[in-house]
Amino acid sequence: MASFSHQMAFFFRCPRNKNVQEPNKQKLHCVRIKGTKSFSPSGLDFLSQEHGIGITSVDHTENVQVFEQQIRQNIPTKKQLVDPYRQGMIIEEWAGYRQTVVIRSYEVGPDKTATIESILSLLQETALNHVWMSGLLSDGFGATHGMMRNNLIWVVSRMQLQVDHYPIWGEVMEIDTWVGASGKNGMRRDWLLRSQATDLVFARATSTWVMMNQQTRRLSKMPDEVRAEISPWFLDKHAIQEESPEKIEKLDNNARYVHSDLKPKRSDLDMNHHVNNVKYVGWMLETIPDEFLEENQLSGMVLEYRRECGSSDVVQSLCDPQQEGLLETGIPKCDHISVNGHKLSAEILEGNGFVGCKNQGPFSYTHLLQVKGESKNEEIVRGKTTWKKKLISIPFPT
Amino acid sequence: MASFSHQMAFFFRCPRNKNVQEPNKQKLHCVRIKGTKSFSPSGLDFLSQEHGIGITSVDHTENVQVFEQQIRQNIPTKKQLVDPYRQGMIIEEWAGYRQTVVIRSYEVGPDKTATIESILSLLQETALNHVWMSGLLSDGFGATHGMMRNNLIWVVSRMQLQVDHYPIWGEVMEIDTWVGASGKNGMRRDWLLRSQATDLVFARATSTWVMMNQQTRRLSKMPDEVRAEISPWFLDKHAIQEESPEKIEKLDNNARYVHSDLKPKRSDLDMNHHVNNVKYVGWMLETIPDEFLEENQLSGMVLEYRRECGSSDVVQSLCDPQQEGLLETGIPKCDHISVNGHKLSAEILEGNGFVGCKNQGPFSYTHLLQVKGESKNEEIVRGKTTWKKKLISIPFPT
């Protein structure tokens, strides 16, 4: 990726001089001129008062709310190159997006490193801000104007993540994201998470997205008008060079660890009114034994999504250690490990360049989330997670 | 609060010209000069390699990690007036702190408004960034250097929040926070959450903090050296003019709604290794019936903390509607409401300036979180939440 240098200013509140370089402020000014500041967040109540419109009609109330929302969100209606509030900018020959983020206090765990859920949430955030900056964002969760006209929403079908280093509390990071073609009807989205200070890449991710009809909840072809909107943004560049080709096996009732009766909470639903993907990962990781999580950290993850999870679904999370040496407790045994079907002792392994028991190499879990129905179970997502030893573990008494 | 105008620049990554106005970059440069970029996030592995230090010693590994953490966090060692990455600045005659934030996609619920947990997390974040900017922050969760020397951490004893409006996805907000004295051994911290575009205050909060010994987990007096550190930052200014004086009653087993067996997850623990306060609020709100939450939104909250919650505690959440008219389902009845002991019909109420059933006035719940022990229960937090009708409700099928 090309190095570049760029400066831009961001502006604090300056009520006496509002006409500074703030994009898309026009509509806000119009409303403020009406002197409505004391009535509502964006001063929309004046519509009812000045025009004598009652607020007993639900339709009218909804219209006012939609208009108010548009003004408060201030979504760009055309391509925007920089956003001072989001600390974001368009890069890569005008197609990619870069955002600077500081790892916040509530995004880290007891060991002060960002949780995997926080990292995934930041990837989601930058993806949406990319669409935001493109001028294509409509009134949906990343949906373009063309998608809205066709009643379509985005759903993720596959996600792959590699984490080499975890950012810590207060660390300044940069996230790059861009999109590309994926077959005829899909879209890829990739990300790089990098230290702002050293440029070192901490994490890489790639994902595949398809479109779903919001009413029928069935997958849809990509309409030509949507392709025309998004294809100018496509880059032929991959964050992860060798994408995991193997199919994830489907677990059954023989899985070692099973958590049942997982119920979505209100706070687990996103703007598409289904359980957010990040919550799936939370359910998957909760099923891994605490003793294992104390000693190890996630280094990679592949997720294959099969079905969305609604607010009334009751979910079961299964997981199974996938490598010999993980058989008893989920914690790797030190006396042997299997290579090409041959069990080798720790001494031999160390002599052959393996890291040995103190610095276990990657080991993995297979996961399945399913909706437990009365007659049969329906898959939500299959997953595979790979792990490496933490340098210092944080006890979690249970 | 005085109006003011201020501009400052923030900088994107610019590897070819690192010596731009980035505070506290010195240490990072020193490390980068060693050409260690390819080794570790901050290039600390060279310490082992250049100095021939093995990494088998846990003590040494811990030291390297602490040093690496300091460089990556880059905590200011003296007062810093602006932070371009956090979009923060010192205000109010050099004592308060203001930060600009954009409401992120994962901070809102299905109705696109920020969740109460997100608002509380942002308050926590700005409080910590205030300490960060002060130059007083040590290697703890908001603890000053003096507190660290005395092995002390902050714990919150009381929190009060008023929310008049909820920010929506993408809305640009400003959060002001400042501290003040609270008795001899405590500290107040207040916040204002305001629309960046209109200056309208959306939410106000105040809190009281005391110090706890990290080892004994007992409350402590404020040592003189800590008072000397923080008292120059005290402002005599209150975010909430009339603080709720009433004591919150303690619920017992007659409470209408009870959720038991609530167990902290790893992700609920914060850097102080106990359950974060925001999680408490989540547990409290989960206990309120979904039908009520669909129709209403929180307008105020008072929390009185009694005891910290550890990772192995099993928690019970009780709640009880506090006003007549809420008796059956938690949803206000429309046929009558009690005023000074007299039941009045909806018609009479409307004629007397009450908002009637469609726009119910505030009503409240009393809450208790407790650790359910074998012999007796121990209180974690008492709470009171007040509510107002949502304009448009979001169904949540159960």
Side-chain angles (χ1 to χ4, degrees):
Chain A
M1 190 179 309
S3 299
F4 75 107
S5 170
H6 189 93
Q7 294 182 10
M8 62 188 201
F10 79 94
F11 299 93
F12 282 97
R13 184 171 61 97
C14 39
R16 287 180 188 157
N17 178 21
K18 276 283 178 190
N19 294 316
V20 287
Q21 305 154 32
E22 294 180 82
N24 302 300
K25 277 269 180 180
Q26 238 36 47
K27 283 185 292 186
L28 274 163
H29 288 160
C30 293
V31 172
R32 296 191 74 241
I33 287 163
K34 304 267 183 187
T36 55
K37 193 172 145 186
S38 61
F39 289 104
S40 79
S42 62
L44 262 281
D45 285 352
F46 84 94
L47 283 176
S48 305
Q49 295 174 14
E50 295 198 352
H51 299 273
I53 303 165
I55 55 161
T56 49
S57 151
V58 171
D59 278 354
H60 167 72
T61 307
E62 278 180 2
N63 287 340
V64 169
Q65 285 208 334
V66 167
F67 182 43
E68 172 178 327
Q69 181 180 304
Q70 285 168 356
I71 289 178
R72 291 168 64 187
Q73 284 189 298
N74 203 19
I75 298 174
T77 51
K78 56 185 181 182
K79 191 168 174 174
Q80 186 175 307
L81 296 183
V82 291
D83 186 307
Y85 301 116
R86 285 163 189 78
Q87 304 197 58
M89 66 189 304
I90 297 296
I91 56 166
E92 291 283 342
E93 297 169 5
W94 317 110
Y97 175 71
R98 175 171 297 163
Q99 183 169 336
T100 305
V101 296
V102 179
I103 301 301
R104 294 177 175 172
S105 56
Y106 56 91
E107 294 173 335
V108 301
D111 61 356
K112 291 189 186 169
T113 65
T115 62
I116 199 71
E117 289 95 333
S118 298
I119 291 173
L120 290 169
S121 293
L122 287 171
L123 301 188
Q124 171 188 300
E125 174 67 8
T126 48
L128 285 162
N129 287 345
H130 187 197
V131 190
W132 181 287
M133 299 279 279
S134 72
L136 295 175
L137 187 66
S138 186
D139 178 35
F141 198 29
T144 65
H145 300 293
M147 288 172 68
M148 283 295 282
R149 280 190 288 273
N150 287 274
N151 214 7
L152 298 174
I153 60 173
W154 286 116
V155 288
V156 61
S157 63
R158 186 177 182 280
M159 176 99 188
Q160 184 178 359
L161 173 71
Q162 282 178 7
V163 188
D164 295 329
H165 309 286
Y166 279 81
I168 61 174
W169 175 40
E171 195 160 15
V172 183
M173 306 298 295
E174 282 176 354
I175 302 175
D176 285 3
T177 184
W178 63 92
V179 291
S182 173
K184 201 175 163 191
N185 292 302
M187 187 181 79
R188 284 168 52 96
R189 178 173 284 283
D190 285 19
W191 294 267
L192 287 179
L193 174 71
R194 198 177 37 236
S195 156
Q196 192 272 344
T198 65
D199 300 344
L200 189 71
V201 173
F202 279 30
R204 302 163 185 276
T206 185
S207 59
T208 315
W209 297 77
V210 288
M211 293 176 193
M212 175 188 271
N213 184 290
Q214 192 163 20
Q215 257 72 56
T216 64
R217 311 310 270 189
R218 295 183 66 173
L219 297 186
S220 162
K221 285 187 176 177
M222 186 184 291
D224 289 340
E225 69 166 318
V226 176
R227 194 185 322 279
E229 283 178 315
I230 63 175
S231 59
W233 293 84
F234 286 177
L235 291 174
D236 185 20
K237 189 180 114 169
H238 292 227
I240 297 176
Q241 288 311 315
E242 287 180 25
E243 292 181 29
S244 174
E246 62 178 310
K247 198 171 152 58
I248 301 171
E249 66 164 317
K250 185 183 175 187
L251 295 182
D252 58 23
N253 288 336
N254 295 320
R256 183 171 306 260
Y257 306 106
V258 180
H259 273 201
S260 295
D261 292 325
L262 299 167
K263 289 171 192 160
K265 290 182 291 198
R266 289 183 74 81
S267 55
D268 299 329
L269 300 192
D270 65 23
M271 288 183 267
N272 275 342
H273 292 213
H274 60 203
V275 175
N276 189 270
N277 307 321
V278 177
K279 181 65 191 177
Y280 295 163
V281 175
W283 279 332
M284 281 167 36
L285 301 190
E286 276 172 44
T287 312
I288 295 176
D290 275 328
E291 315 88 74
F292 180 85
L293 296 174
E294 268 168 37
E295 303 274 338
N296 300 282
Q297 65 186 181
L298 189 137
S299 59
M301 173 188 282
V302 182
L303 303 171
E304 290 173 3
Y305 298 91
R306 304 297 170 112
R307 170 195 188 278
E308 63 176 340
C309 176
S311 55
S312 57
D313 287 332
V314 178
V315 176
Q316 189 179 54
S317 172
L318 300 88
C319 86
D320 210 38
Q322 245 219 334
Q323 189 172 316
E324 287 192 49
L326 293 164
L327 293 182
E328 293 309 315
T329 63
I331 297 174
K333 285 181 177 173
C334 283
D335 55 345
H336 68 263
I337 196 163
S338 174
V339 175
N340 297 328
H342 300 282
K343 286 183 180 171
L344 303 177
S345 73
E347 289 73 20
I348 293 172
L349 286 167
E350 280 171 358
N352 280 281
F354 284 79
V355 284
C357 293
K358 282 187 183 162
N359 295 296
Q360 280 287 348
F363 30 85
S364 63
Y365 280 89
T366 305
H367 302 263
L368 175 66
L369 293 185
Q370 60 186 3
V371 177
K372 205 161 162 46
E374 284 185 16
S375 59
K376 66 167 191 159
N377 298 326
E378 288 191 69
E379 289 184 74
I380 299 172
V381 58
R382 292 185 195 183
K384 186 172 175 183
T385 53
T386 49
W387 298 80
K388 64 181 180 187
K389 204 83 178 165
K390 277 184 192 171
L391 277 177
I392 294 174
S393 66
I394 305 292
F396 184 80
T398 49
Chain B
M1 190 180 311
S3 300
F4 75 107
S5 170
H6 189 92
Q7 295 182 11
M8 63 188 200
F10 80 94
F11 299 93
F12 281 96
R13 184 172 61 97
C14 40
R16 287 178 188 158
N17 178 22
K18 276 282 179 190
N19 294 316
V20 287
Q21 305 155 34
E22 294 180 81
N24 302 299
K25 277 269 179 177
Q26 238 36 47
K27 282 186 292 185
L28 274 164
H29 288 159
C30 293
V31 172
R32 296 192 73 239
I33 287 162
K34 302 269 183 186
T36 56
K37 192 174 147 186
S38 61
F39 288 105
S40 80
S42 61
L44 261 280
D45 286 352
F46 83 93
L47 283 176
S48 305
Q49 295 174 13
E50 294 198 353
H51 299 273
I53 303 164
I55 56 160
T56 49
S57 151
V58 172
D59 278 354
H60 166 72
T61 307
E62 278 179 1
N63 287 339
V64 168
Q65 284 208 334
V66 167
F67 183 42
E68 173 178 325
Q69 182 180 306
Q70 285 167 357
I71 289 178
R72 291 170 62 188
Q73 285 189 298
N74 203 19
I75 298 175
T77 51
K78 56 184 180 182
K79 190 170 176 174
Q80 185 175 309
L81 296 183
V82 290
D83 186 306
Y85 301 115
R86 285 164 188 78
Q87 304 196 60
M89 66 189 304
I90 297 296
I91 56 166
E92 292 283 340
E93 296 171 4
W94 316 112
Y97 174 71
R98 174 171 298 164
Q99 183 169 335
T100 304
V101 296
V102 179
I103 301 302
R104 293 177 175 172
S105 56
Y106 56 90
E107 293 172 337
V108 301
D111 61 357
K112 290 190 186 167
T113 65
T115 63
I116 199 72
E117 289 94 332
S118 297
I119 291 173
L120 290 169
S121 293
L122 287 171
L123 301 188
Q124 170 187 301
E125 175 67 9
T126 48
L128 285 162
N129 286 346
H130 187 196
V131 189
W132 181 286
M133 300 280 280
S134 73
L136 294 175
L137 187 66
S138 187
D139 178 34
F141 198 28
T144 66
H145 300 294
M147 288 172 68
M148 284 294 283
R149 281 190 287 274
N150 288 275
N151 214 6
L152 298 174
I153 60 173
W154 285 116
V155 287
V156 61
S157 63
R158 185 178 183 279
M159 176 100 189
Q160 184 178 358
L161 173 70
Q162 283 178 7
V163 188
D164 295 328
H165 308 285
Y166 279 81
I168 61 175
W169 175 39
E171 195 160 14
V172 183
M173 306 298 296
E174 282 176 354
I175 302 175
D176 286 3
T177 183
W178 63 93
V179 291
S182 173
K184 201 175 163 192
N185 292 302
M187 186 180 80
R188 285 168 52 96
R189 178 173 283 283
D190 286 19
W191 294 268
L192 287 179
L193 174 70
R194 198 175 38 236
S195 157
Q196 192 273 343
T198 65
D199 299 344
L200 189 71
V201 173
F202 279 31
R204 303 162 184 278
T206 184
S207 59
T208 315
W209 298 77
V210 289
M211 293 177 194
M212 174 187 272
N213 184 291
Q214 192 163 21
Q215 256 72 56
T216 65
R217 309 310 271 190
R218 295 184 63 173
L219 297 186
S220 162
K221 286 187 176 177
M222 186 185 290
D224 289 340
E225 68 166 319
V226 177
R227 195 184 321 279
E229 284 177 315
I230 62 175
S231 59
W233 293 83
F234 286 176
L235 290 175
D236 185 18
K237 188 179 114 170
H238 292 226
I240 296 176
Q241 289 311 317
E242 288 180 25
E243 292 182 31
S244 173
E246 62 178 311
K247 199 169 150 59
I248 301 171
E249 66 165 318
K250 185 183 174 187
L251 295 182
D252 57 23
N253 288 337
N254 295 319
R256 184 171 307 260
Y257 306 106
V258 180
H259 272 200
S260 295
D261 291 325
L262 299 166
K263 289 171 191 161
K265 290 182 292 199
R266 289 182 75 81
S267 56
D268 300 328
L269 301 191
D270 65 23
M271 288 183 267
N272 275 343
H273 292 212
H274 60 203
V275 176
N276 188 271
N277 307 322
V278 177
K279 182 66 191 176
Y280 295 163
V281 175
W283 279 332
M284 281 167 35
L285 301 190
E286 275 172 45
T287 311
I288 296 177
D290 275 329
E291 314 88 75
F292 181 85
L293 296 175
E294 268 169 36
E295 304 274 340
N296 300 282
Q297 64 185 182
L298 189 138
S299 58
M301 174 188 281
V302 182
L303 303 171
E304 290 174 4
Y305 298 91
R306 304 297 169 113
R307 169 194 187 280
E308 63 176 341
C309 176
S311 56
S312 59
D313 287 331
V314 179
V315 176
Q316 191 179 53
S317 172
L318 301 87
C319 87
D320 211 36
Q322 246 218 334
Q323 189 174 314
E324 285 192 49
L326 293 165
L327 293 181
E328 293 308 315
T329 62
I331 298 174
K333 284 183 178 173
C334 283
D335 56 344
H336 68 263
I337 196 163
S338 175
V339 176
N340 296 329
H342 301 282
K343 285 183 181 171
L344 302 178
S345 73
E347 289 73 18
I348 294 172
L349 286 167
E350 280 171 358
N352 279 282
F354 284 79
V355 282
C357 294
K358 284 189 181 159
N359 294 296
Q360 280 287 346
F363 30 84
S364 64
Y365 280 88
T366 306
H367 302 264
L368 175 66
L369 293 184
Q370 59 187 3
V371 176
K372 204 161 162 47
E374 284 183 17
S375 60
K376 66 166 191 159
N377 298 328
E378 287 191 69
E379 288 184 75
I380 299 171
V381 58
R382 292 185 196 183
K384 186 174 176 183
T385 53
T386 49
W387 299 80
K388 64 181 179 187
K389 203 82 178 166
K390 277 184 192 172
L391 278 177
I392 295 174
S393 66
I394 304 292
F396 184 80
T398 49

